[in-house]
Amino acid sequence: MKNCKWLCLLFFFSCTVQKINKTVRTSDVFEKGHMGFMLYDPVKDKTLVKLNEAKYFIPASNTKIFTFYSSYKALGDGYINGLNYTYQGDSLIFWGTGDPSLLHPDFKDSTVINFLKNADKKLYMVNNFEQLSSYGPGWSWNWFPYYFAAERSAMPIYGNVLRYSKKAELAEATPYPKTVLLPLMPSSQTHSGNYFIQRDFKKNTYEYAINKEKDSLAFATDKPFITSANLTRNLLQEAVGKQISLINNKDYSKSSHEKLPTVKADSLYAQMMKISDNFLAEQLMVLVSDAVLDSINIRGGISYAKEHYLADLPDEPQWVDGSGLSPQNMFTPRSVIKLLHKIHTEVPMEKIKAYFPAGGESGTIRNWYRADPGEPAYIYAKTGTLAMSTALSGFLLTKSGKTLLFSTFFNNYTGSSSVQKKELQKLLYFIHDKY
């Protein structure tokens, strides 16, 4: 009797897998572009479905899965190093590690500010900004006005953005930070919309407009500023209330120095993954390079991660930035599955659920992959979106209690990505419901 029941279940699951396989291969929607797909059962160590699993695809923000794992290995889930510093006589010499939390509008961490305020030494900031380009390889110059392409830097402050925001009960909008170093002025242009704010292409001056007739409007928008060691020093000096001298990089990192812990890495991982925060992703890879190489070097951090954390992937990742903004990134579905398997093995499931967006509940998939009423989320996955490139990879929880790993890539399609997403939503729910 038990054997009969087992055989019936085996036949049922076999039929389910065949139907999934058929859907993946014959869907009219999926055939409109290049698709890569892989579904894997980590308990059985068995690939259930695969399509173009060994071919390279542009991953977009699926790159952040690689950034997350490398950061988790290098930084752990404790406090990150927010500042490197050393004492020399009556001087405190310090330099950035890439920590993005310093007065960031969402974290507003002031650990570094308080440390410098309380120091009874002359303050010297090392200029190590030249070690890191503001934009990653392959990024577009015309992304400069948008938060998704905020500049990278050795020592970010205020998230390297000016946040312009307004509460519904207030008539006026306010900038954060309020500083003469980032001038903000009313626009001379006629504006019929709710609000706007824009920055000059070549300098840090901003203009804004608000429709006074719609003063119940609440909003917040982040506009990147052009970073430099001098501006960061001046903003830092303003916040600390003490003079800070800027000195050239004299390889202080190669000598003995101390580290200042600031925020928990957990908070950075969760925000990066859930809302697909490109700035945090880039800065996390800077923090990785600081931790493993004692330098500001994203390329070096990626090379280290590939050699020490990812050498067992079936296909070498073509990986150039932390966020996935670059179309030069290319991964295969089977390498992503292998990485998800490593995460599933090494990271507690409660942390995975805290970091990854949850279908129908949080982050970039809060409006997709919704569970049945009263049921918990069944998809925990990272999205990816660039022009003609869409991805979704992560963990799928079935009604029978299984945890499956899946990776999906769509490249070179035309039209809206919502068509593929709707078809994928049907497929993933079927797997959740039937497998």
Side-chain angles (χ1 to χ4, degrees):
M1 189 70 179
K2 287 184 178 180
N3 287 339
C4 182
K5 184 177 180 181
W6 182 84
L7 288 172
C8 287
L9 285 172
L10 186 63
F11 177 76
F12 174 77
F13 285 131
S14 177
C15 290
T16 300
V17 169
Q18 288 179 29
K19 187 168 183 178
I20 298 166
N21 201 7
K22 183 178 179 181
T23 301
V24 169
R25 293 177 180 278
T26 64
S27 166
D28 291 339
V29 174
F30 292 159
E31 285 183 347
K32 291 180 179 178
H34 299 307
M35 181 184 184
F37 182 81
M38 190 166 171
L39 181 67
Y40 175 78
D41 186 332
V43 174
K44 294 182 179 179
D45 188 20
K46 182 180 180 181
T47 297
L48 303 176
V49 180
K50 58 184 179 181
L51 175 66
N52 295 326
E53 77 284 356
K55 293 185 177 181
Y56 282 90
F57 292 84
I58 296 172
S61 283
N62 260 211
T63 304
K64 293 182 177 73
I65 303 174
F66 288 72
T67 297
F68 160 69
Y69 182 73
S70 301
S71 302
Y72 193 85
K73 296 290 286 187
L75 309 174
D77 55 6
Y79 291 94
I80 64 169
N81 175 27
L83 197 71
N84 291 318
Y85 67 96
T86 186
Y87 295 104
Q88 291 189 6
D90 63 350
S91 303
L92 169 58
I93 302 167
F94 63 91
W95 57 99
T97 64
D99 175 14
S101 68
L102 175 58
L103 301 178
H104 187 290
D106 294 329
F107 300 100
K108 296 186 178 177
D109 185 76
S110 56
T111 305
V112 169
I113 302 301
N114 293 333
F115 174 73
L116 297 178
K117 277 184 177 180
N118 294 328
D120 59 351
K121 304 283 186 180
K122 295 179 181 178
L123 302 179
Y124 293 89
M125 174 181 161
V126 176
N127 179 6
N128 59 348
F129 274 54
E130 74 283 353
Q131 296 179 4
L132 180 65
S133 60
S134 298
Y135 274 17
W139 291 19
S140 177
W141 66 269
N142 62 351
W143 289 343
F144 80 91
Y146 304 108
Y147 175 72
F148 68 76
E151 292 190 5
R152 318 183 299 186
S153 68
M155 191 174 183
I157 185 168
Y158 299 110
N160 288 350
V161 296
L162 177 73
R163 174 167 290 182
Y164 190 57
S165 61
K166 177 182 172 299
K167 295 181 179 179
E169 65 271 18
L170 300 179
E172 297 294 329
T174 57
Y176 175 82
K178 291 183 178 180
T179 173
V180 296
L181 299 171
L182 299 171
L184 182 66
M185 59 199 73
S187 175
S188 58
Q189 302 176 31
T190 302
H191 181 68
S192 58
N194 295 331
Y195 73 91
F196 84 90
I197 177 173
Q198 59 188 25
R199 195 201 81 206
D200 186 88
F201 175 45
K202 294 184 178 181
K203 55 186 178 181
N204 286 322
T205 57
Y206 299 81
E207 62 176 17
Y208 70 92
I210 288 183
N211 189 332
K212 296 289 187 180
E213 296 177 1
K214 298 183 179 181
D215 61 5
S216 62
L217 178 72
F219 65 82
T221 184
D222 295 337
K223 295 296 179 179
F225 55 73
I226 301 169
T227 60
S228 69
N230 192 58
L231 176 61
T232 298
R233 183 276 308 269
N234 290 340
L235 288 169
L236 195 60
Q237 189 169 255
E238 183 181 66
V240 171
K242 296 166 67 175
Q243 181 178 344
I244 300 174
S245 300
L246 189 63
I247 59 176
N248 290 329
N249 186 357
K250 295 183 179 180
D251 293 326
Y252 285 102
S253 63
K254 296 179 181 178
S255 60
S256 177
H257 56 271
E258 298 181 58
K259 301 175 185 293
L260 180 70
T262 53
V263 299
K264 294 288 288 291
D266 265 345
S267 62
L268 301 182
Y269 301 154
Q271 177 145 325
M272 174 190 69
M273 295 292 282
K274 284 186 179 296
I275 68 170
S276 203
D277 192 303
N278 295 321
F279 172 69
L280 294 186
E282 295 298 327
Q283 297 302 141
L284 275 167
M285 285 311 301
V286 178
L287 283 164
V288 168
S289 73
D290 173 72
V292 300
L293 304 174
D294 235 341
S295 70
I296 302 299
N297 185 344
I298 287 183
R299 179 179 294 181
I302 288 174
S303 295
Y304 184 95
K306 287 170 63 175
E307 180 181 352
H308 292 86
Y309 309 145
L310 304 171
D312 57 346
L313 299 188
D315 307 293
E316 182 183 1
Q318 305 304 301
W319 181 17
V320 302
D321 68 8
S323 62
L325 277 176
S326 176
Q328 296 176 22
N329 294 304
M330 290 194 297
F331 307 142
T332 65
R334 67 183 182 183
S335 283
V336 175
I337 289 292
K338 177 64 175 180
L339 178 56
L340 290 171
H341 195 191
K342 291 161 73 72
I343 293 171
H344 187 240
T345 302
E346 300 173 32
V347 182
M349 195 63 197
E350 62 268 21
K351 284 190 174 292
I352 290 173
K353 290 181 177 181
Y355 299 148
F356 279 70
E361 293 184 3
S362 65
T364 52
I365 56 173
R366 64 187 178 278
N367 297 321
W368 293 89
Y369 317 106
R370 192 177 302 278
D372 291 333
E375 295 292 322
Y378 70 92
I379 293 288
Y380 292 89
K382 184 70 200 73
T383 53
T385 305
L386 280 175
M388 298 180 292
S389 302
T390 300
L392 185 73
S393 301
F395 307 87
L396 189 158
L397 312 182
T398 71
K399 287 186 176 180
S400 65
K402 299 178 183 295
T403 298
L404 305 179
L405 315 180
F406 72 95
S407 182
T408 314
F409 292 105
F410 297 111
N411 282 183
N412 294 352
Y413 59 85
T414 58
S416 171
S417 63
S418 63
V419 179
Q420 284 88 357
K421 290 178 183 177
K422 288 177 181 177
E423 188 78 351
L424 181 61
Q425 184 170 250
K426 294 176 186 176
L427 175 64
L428 295 182
Y429 181 81
F430 176 81
I431 298 169
H432 161 69
D433 188 47
K434 301 299 183 183
Y435 190 82

PDB file of all heavy atoms in Angstrom, residues 380-408:
ATOM      1  N   TYR A 380      10.380  34.384  -2.758  1.00  0.00           N
ATOM      2  CA  TYR A 380      11.386  35.303  -2.222  1.00  0.00           C
ATOM      3  C   TYR A 380      12.471  35.390  -3.287  1.00  0.00           C
ATOM      4  O   TYR A 380      13.253  34.455  -3.451  1.00  0.00           O
ATOM      5  CB  TYR A 380      11.944  34.796  -0.893  1.00  0.00           C
ATOM      6  CG  TYR A 380      10.917  34.830   0.221  1.00  0.00           C
ATOM      7  CD1 TYR A 380      10.079  33.747   0.451  1.00  0.00           C
ATOM      8  CD2 TYR A 380      10.769  35.968   1.011  1.00  0.00           C
ATOM      9  CE1 TYR A 380       9.119  33.787   1.454  1.00  0.00           C
ATOM     10  CE2 TYR A 380       9.811  36.016   2.022  1.00  0.00           C
ATOM     11  CZ  TYR A 380       8.992  34.929   2.227  1.00  0.00           C
ATOM     12  OH  TYR A 380       8.029  34.977   3.220  1.00  0.00           O
ATOM     13  N   ALA A 381      12.493  36.503  -4.017  1.00  0.00           N
ATOM     14  CA  ALA A 381      13.336  36.536  -5.207  1.00  0.00           C
ATOM     15  C   ALA A 381      13.794  37.948  -5.540  1.00  0.00           C
ATOM     16  O   ALA A 381      13.177  38.932  -5.151  1.00  0.00           O
ATOM     17  CB  ALA A 381      12.577  35.942  -6.399  1.00  0.00           C
ATOM     18  N   LYS A 382      14.889  37.997  -6.279  1.00  0.00           N
ATOM     19  CA  LYS A 382      15.462  39.276  -6.723  1.00  0.00           C
ATOM     20  C   LYS A 382      15.102  39.530  -8.173  1.00  0.00           C
ATOM     21  O   LYS A 382      15.277  38.661  -9.022  1.00  0.00           O
ATOM     22  CB  LYS A 382      16.993  39.252  -6.572  1.00  0.00           C
ATOM     23  CG  LYS A 382      17.662  40.571  -6.906  1.00  0.00           C
ATOM     24  CD  LYS A 382      17.347  41.612  -5.864  1.00  0.00           C
ATOM     25  CE  LYS A 382      17.564  43.031  -6.387  1.00  0.00           C
ATOM     26  NZ  LYS A 382      16.522  43.466  -7.350  1.00  0.00           N
ATOM     27  N   THR A 383      14.597  40.722  -8.423  1.00  0.00           N
ATOM     28  CA  THR A 383      14.253  41.132  -9.772  1.00  0.00           C
ATOM     29  C   THR A 383      15.475  41.700 -10.486  1.00  0.00           C
ATOM     30  O   THR A 383      16.516  41.954  -9.878  1.00  0.00           O
ATOM     31  CB  THR A 383      13.175  42.220  -9.744  1.00  0.00           C
ATOM     32  OG1 THR A 383      13.625  43.281  -8.875  1.00  0.00           O
ATOM     33  CG2 THR A 383      11.862  41.676  -9.217  1.00  0.00           C
ATOM     34  N   GLY A 384      15.314  41.941 -11.774  1.00  0.00           N
ATOM     35  CA  GLY A 384      16.329  42.623 -12.569  1.00  0.00           C
ATOM     36  C   GLY A 384      15.668  43.239 -13.779  1.00  0.00           C
ATOM     37  O   GLY A 384      14.923  42.552 -14.477  1.00  0.00           O
ATOM     38  N   THR A 385      15.930  44.531 -14.025  1.00  0.00           N
ATOM     39  CA  THR A 385      15.308  45.204 -15.155  1.00  0.00           C
ATOM     40  C   THR A 385      16.261  46.206 -15.789  1.00  0.00           C
ATOM     41  O   THR A 385      16.762  47.111 -15.124  1.00  0.00           O
ATOM     42  CB  THR A 385      14.028  45.958 -14.727  1.00  0.00           C
ATOM     43  OG1 THR A 385      13.132  45.053 -14.081  1.00  0.00           O
ATOM     44  CG2 THR A 385      13.326  46.555 -15.937  1.00  0.00           C
ATOM     45  N   LEU A 386      16.540  46.000 -17.064  1.00  0.00           N
ATOM     46  CA  LEU A 386      17.211  46.972 -17.921  1.00  0.00           C
ATOM     47  C   LEU A 386      16.467  46.967 -19.251  1.00  0.00           C
ATOM     48  O   LEU A 386      15.553  46.163 -19.453  1.00  0.00           O
ATOM     49  CB  LEU A 386      18.679  46.595 -18.148  1.00  0.00           C
ATOM     50  CG  LEU A 386      19.693  46.923 -17.049  1.00  0.00           C
ATOM     51  CD1 LEU A 386      21.065  46.365 -17.423  1.00  0.00           C
ATOM     52  CD2 LEU A 386      19.797  48.429 -16.808  1.00  0.00           C
ATOM     53  N   ALA A 387      16.862  47.850 -20.160  1.00  0.00           N
ATOM     54  CA  ALA A 387      16.227  47.851 -21.468  1.00  0.00           C
ATOM     55  C   ALA A 387      16.387  46.486 -22.124  1.00  0.00           C
ATOM     56  O   ALA A 387      17.504  45.978 -22.265  1.00  0.00           O
ATOM     57  CB  ALA A 387      16.854  48.941 -22.353  1.00  0.00           C
ATOM     58  N   MET A 388      15.291  45.868 -22.479  1.00  0.00           N
ATOM     59  CA  MET A 388      15.253  44.564 -23.160  1.00  0.00           C
ATOM     60  C   MET A 388      15.828  43.429 -22.307  1.00  0.00           C
ATOM     61  O   MET A 388      16.197  42.389 -22.821  1.00  0.00           O
ATOM     62  CB  MET A 388      15.974  44.625 -24.506  1.00  0.00           C
ATOM     63  CG  MET A 388      15.358  45.590 -25.497  1.00  0.00           C
ATOM     64  SD  MET A 388      16.226  45.641 -27.077  1.00  0.00           S
ATOM     65  CE  MET A 388      17.782  46.397 -26.582  1.00  0.00           C
ATOM     66  N   SER A 389      15.923  43.631 -20.995  1.00  0.00           N
ATOM     67  CA  SER A 389      16.462  42.599 -20.105  1.00  0.00           C
ATOM     68  C   SER A 389      15.645  42.552 -18.821  1.00  0.00           C
ATOM     69  O   SER A 389      15.497  43.575 -18.135  1.00  0.00           O
ATOM     70  CB  SER A 389      17.931  42.884 -19.761  1.00  0.00           C
ATOM     71  OG  SER A 389      18.728  42.966 -20.919  1.00  0.00           O
ATOM     72  N   THR A 390      15.114  41.386 -18.514  1.00  0.00           N
ATOM     73  CA  THR A 390      14.338  41.185 -17.289  1.00  0.00           C
ATOM     74  C   THR A 390      14.764  39.872 -16.655  1.00  0.00           C
ATOM     75  O   THR A 390      15.042  38.897 -17.354  1.00  0.00           O
ATOM     76  CB  THR A 390      12.825  41.140 -17.588  1.00  0.00           C
ATOM     77  OG1 THR A 390      12.431  42.373 -18.189  1.00  0.00           O
ATOM     78  CG2 THR A 390      12.010  40.936 -16.316  1.00  0.00           C
ATOM     79  N   ALA A 391      14.832  39.855 -15.324  1.00  0.00           N
ATOM     80  CA  ALA A 391      15.243  38.644 -14.628  1.00  0.00           C
ATOM     81  C   ALA A 391      14.493  38.507 -13.318  1.00  0.00           C
ATOM     82  O   ALA A 391      14.043  39.498 -12.736  1.00  0.00           O
ATOM     83  CB  ALA A 391      16.752  38.668 -14.371  1.00  0.00           C
ATOM     84  N   LEU A 392      14.344  37.272 -12.869  1.00  0.00           N
ATOM     85  CA  LEU A 392      13.818  36.984 -11.535  1.00  0.00           C
ATOM     86  C   LEU A 392      14.429  35.668 -11.076  1.00  0.00           C
ATOM     87  O   LEU A 392      14.290  34.641 -11.752  1.00  0.00           O
ATOM     88  CB  LEU A 392      12.297  36.870 -11.544  1.00  0.00           C
ATOM     89  CG  LEU A 392      11.655  36.688 -10.161  1.00  0.00           C
ATOM     90  CD1 LEU A 392      11.708  37.990  -9.368  1.00  0.00           C
ATOM     91  CD2 LEU A 392      10.213  36.200 -10.270  1.00  0.00           C
ATOM     92  N   SER A 393      15.112  35.697  -9.947  1.00  0.00           N
ATOM     93  CA  SER A 393      15.766  34.496  -9.424  1.00  0.00           C
ATOM     94  C   SER A 393      15.618  34.459  -7.910  1.00  0.00           C
ATOM     95  O   SER A 393      15.736  35.493  -7.246  1.00  0.00           O
ATOM     96  CB  SER A 393      17.252  34.475  -9.786  1.00  0.00           C
ATOM     97  OG  SER A 393      17.448  34.509 -11.180  1.00  0.00           O
ATOM     98  N   GLY A 394      15.365  33.264  -7.376  1.00  0.00           N
ATOM     99  CA  GLY A 394      15.248  33.163  -5.926  1.00  0.00           C
ATOM    100  C   GLY A 394      14.665  31.849  -5.469  1.00  0.00           C
ATOM    101  O   GLY A 394      14.948  30.796  -6.048  1.00  0.00           O
ATOM    102  N   PHE A 395      13.816  31.936  -4.446  1.00  0.00           N
ATOM    103  CA  PHE A 395      13.320  30.773  -3.722  1.00  0.00           C
ATOM    104  C   PHE A 395      11.800  30.675  -3.877  1.00  0.00           C
ATOM    105  O   PHE A 395      11.100  31.668  -3.723  1.00  0.00           O
ATOM    106  CB  PHE A 395      13.705  30.881  -2.251  1.00  0.00           C
ATOM    107  CG  PHE A 395      15.180  31.108  -2.039  1.00  0.00           C
ATOM    108  CD1 PHE A 395      15.707  32.398  -2.042  1.00  0.00           C
ATOM    109  CD2 PHE A 395      16.047  30.037  -1.872  1.00  0.00           C
ATOM    110  CE1 PHE A 395      17.070  32.607  -1.880  1.00  0.00           C
ATOM    111  CE2 PHE A 395      17.407  30.234  -1.703  1.00  0.00           C
ATOM    112  CZ  PHE A 395      17.915  31.528  -1.711  1.00  0.00           C
ATOM    113  N   LEU A 396      11.325  29.479  -4.179  1.00  0.00           N
ATOM    114  CA  LEU A 396       9.899  29.225  -4.359  1.00  0.00           C
ATOM    115  C   LEU A 396       9.461  28.173  -3.351  1.00  0.00           C
ATOM    116  O   LEU A 396       9.995  27.064  -3.329  1.00  0.00           O
ATOM    117  CB  LEU A 396       9.634  28.756  -5.796  1.00  0.00           C
ATOM    118  CG  LEU A 396       8.177  28.628  -6.250  1.00  0.00           C
ATOM    119  CD1 LEU A 396       8.106  28.688  -7.783  1.00  0.00           C
ATOM    120  CD2 LEU A 396       7.513  27.328  -5.785  1.00  0.00           C
ATOM    121  N   LEU A 397       8.506  28.524  -2.501  1.00  0.00           N
ATOM    122  CA  LEU A 397       7.994  27.611  -1.476  1.00  0.00           C
ATOM    123  C   LEU A 397       6.698  26.981  -1.978  1.00  0.00           C
ATOM    124  O   LEU A 397       5.767  27.696  -2.354  1.00  0.00           O
ATOM    125  CB  LEU A 397       7.747  28.361  -0.169  1.00  0.00           C
ATOM    126  CG  LEU A 397       8.890  29.269   0.328  1.00  0.00           C
ATOM    127  CD1 LEU A 397       8.536  29.900   1.657  1.00  0.00           C
ATOM    128  CD2 LEU A 397      10.193  28.498   0.432  1.00  0.00           C
ATOM    129  N   THR A 398       6.638  25.658  -2.013  1.00  0.00           N
ATOM    130  CA  THR A 398       5.453  24.975  -2.531  1.00  0.00           C
ATOM    131  C   THR A 398       4.477  24.638  -1.407  1.00  0.00           C
ATOM    132  O   THR A 398       4.844  24.593  -0.227  1.00  0.00           O
ATOM    133  CB  THR A 398       5.842  23.676  -3.253  1.00  0.00           C
ATOM    134  OG1 THR A 398       6.272  22.711  -2.281  1.00  0.00           O
ATOM    135  CG2 THR A 398       6.957  23.917  -4.260  1.00  0.00           C
ATOM    136  N   LYS A 399       3.237  24.372  -1.788  1.00  0.00           N
ATOM    137  CA  LYS A 399       2.219  24.015  -0.801  1.00  0.00           C
ATOM    138  C   LYS A 399       2.517  22.677  -0.137  1.00  0.00           C
ATOM    139  O   LYS A 399       2.028  22.400   0.965  1.00  0.00           O
ATOM    140  CB  LYS A 399       0.844  23.991  -1.469  1.00  0.00           C
ATOM    141  CG  LYS A 399       0.301  25.370  -1.802  1.00  0.00           C
ATOM    142  CD  LYS A 399      -1.127  25.304  -2.338  1.00  0.00           C
ATOM    143  CE  LYS A 399      -1.690  26.696  -2.586  1.00  0.00           C
ATOM    144  NZ  LYS A 399      -3.083  26.667  -3.099  1.00  0.00           N
ATOM    145  N   SER A 400       3.319  21.852  -0.790  1.00  0.00           N
ATOM    146  CA  SER A 400       3.675  20.559  -0.204  1.00  0.00           C
ATOM    147  C   SER A 400       4.842  20.671   0.770  1.00  0.00           C
ATOM    148  O   SER A 400       5.272  19.662   1.339  1.00  0.00           O
ATOM    149  CB  SER A 400       4.021  19.558  -1.316  1.00  0.00           C
ATOM    150  OG  SER A 400       5.194  19.971  -2.014  1.00  0.00           O
ATOM    151  N   GLY A 401       5.365  21.888   0.948  1.00  0.00           N
ATOM    152  CA  GLY A 401       6.428  22.101   1.934  1.00  0.00           C
ATOM    153  C   GLY A 401       7.832  22.093   1.376  1.00  0.00           C
ATOM    154  O   GLY A 401       8.802  22.139   2.136  1.00  0.00           O
ATOM    155  N   LYS A 402       7.988  22.066   0.076  1.00  0.00           N
ATOM    156  CA  LYS A 402       9.322  22.059  -0.535  1.00  0.00           C
ATOM    157  C   LYS A 402       9.814  23.477  -0.773  1.00  0.00           C
ATOM    158  O   LYS A 402       9.025  24.407  -0.965  1.00  0.00           O
ATOM    159  CB  LYS A 402       9.293  21.296  -1.866  1.00  0.00           C
ATOM    160  CG  LYS A 402       8.878  19.834  -1.756  1.00  0.00           C
ATOM    161  CD  LYS A 402       8.839  19.190  -3.129  1.00  0.00           C
ATOM    162  CE  LYS A 402       8.354  17.740  -3.041  1.00  0.00           C
ATOM    163  NZ  LYS A 402       9.286  16.892  -2.290  1.00  0.00           N
ATOM    164  N   THR A 403      11.134  23.642  -0.761  1.00  0.00           N
ATOM    165  CA  THR A 403      11.769  24.889  -1.162  1.00  0.00           C
ATOM    166  C   THR A 403      12.546  24.626  -2.440  1.00  0.00           C
ATOM    167  O   THR A 403      13.489  23.827  -2.451  1.00  0.00           O
ATOM    168  CB  THR A 403      12.719  25.424  -0.080  1.00  0.00           C
ATOM    169  OG1 THR A 403      11.976  25.704   1.114  1.00  0.00           O
ATOM    170  CG2 THR A 403      13.408  26.703  -0.544  1.00  0.00           C
ATOM    171  N   LEU A 404      12.143  25.259  -3.528  1.00  0.00           N
ATOM    172  CA  LEU A 404      12.804  25.105  -4.819  1.00  0.00           C
ATOM    173  C   LEU A 404      13.567  26.370  -5.164  1.00  0.00           C
ATOM    174  O   LEU A 404      13.228  27.462  -4.707  1.00  0.00           O
ATOM    175  CB  LEU A 404      11.773  24.806  -5.910  1.00  0.00           C
ATOM    176  CG  LEU A 404      10.850  23.606  -5.685  1.00  0.00           C
ATOM    177  CD1 LEU A 404       9.873  23.470  -6.858  1.00  0.00           C
ATOM    178  CD2 LEU A 404      11.649  22.314  -5.500  1.00  0.00           C
ATOM    179  N   LEU A 405      14.591  26.224  -5.979  1.00  0.00           N
ATOM    180  CA  LEU A 405      15.370  27.353  -6.460  1.00  0.00           C
ATOM    181  C   LEU A 405      15.063  27.554  -7.938  1.00  0.00           C
ATOM    182  O   LEU A 405      14.970  26.577  -8.689  1.00  0.00           O
ATOM    183  CB  LEU A 405      16.871  27.102  -6.270  1.00  0.00           C
ATOM    184  CG  LEU A 405      17.320  26.528  -4.923  1.00  0.00           C
ATOM    185  CD1 LEU A 405      18.831  26.348  -4.902  1.00  0.00           C
ATOM    186  CD2 LEU A 405      16.865  27.411  -3.769  1.00  0.00           C
ATOM    187  N   PHE A 406      14.909  28.794  -8.352  1.00  0.00           N
ATOM    188  CA  PHE A 406      14.630  29.044  -9.763  1.00  0.00           C
ATOM    189  C   PHE A 406      15.389  30.274 -10.237  1.00  0.00           C
ATOM    190  O   PHE A 406      15.725  31.173  -9.457  1.00  0.00           O
ATOM    191  CB  PHE A 406      13.124  29.234 -10.004  1.00  0.00           C
ATOM    192  CG  PHE A 406      12.566  30.524  -9.482  1.00  0.00           C
ATOM    193  CD1 PHE A 406      12.450  31.632 -10.313  1.00  0.00           C
ATOM    194  CD2 PHE A 406      12.176  30.652  -8.153  1.00  0.00           C
ATOM    195  CE1 PHE A 406      11.948  32.838  -9.828  1.00  0.00           C
ATOM    196  CE2 PHE A 406      11.663  31.847  -7.666  1.00  0.00           C
ATOM    197  CZ  PHE A 406      11.547  32.950  -8.511  1.00  0.00           C
ATOM    198  N   SER A 407      15.676  30.312 -11.523  1.00  0.00           N
ATOM    199  CA  SER A 407      16.325  31.463 -12.139  1.00  0.00           C
ATOM    200  C   SER A 407      15.744  31.654 -13.529  1.00  0.00           C
ATOM    201  O   SER A 407      15.698  30.717 -14.325  1.00  0.00           O
ATOM    202  CB  SER A 407      17.839  31.260 -12.224  1.00  0.00           C
ATOM    203  OG  SER A 407      18.466  32.397 -12.791  1.00  0.00           O
ATOM    204  N   THR A 408      15.289  32.876 -13.798  1.00  0.00           N
ATOM    205  CA  THR A 408      14.653  33.195 -15.069  1.00  0.00           C
ATOM    206  C   THR A 408      15.272  34.454 -15.666  1.00  0.00           C
ATOM    207  O   THR A 408      15.417  35.461 -14.980  1.00  0.00           O
ATOM    208  CB  THR A 408      13.144  33.458 -14.882  1.00  0.00           C
ATOM    209  OG1 THR A 408      12.570  32.458 -14.067  1.00  0.00           O
ATOM    210  CG2 THR A 408      12.437  33.487 -16.223  1.00  0.00           C
TER     211      THR A 408
END
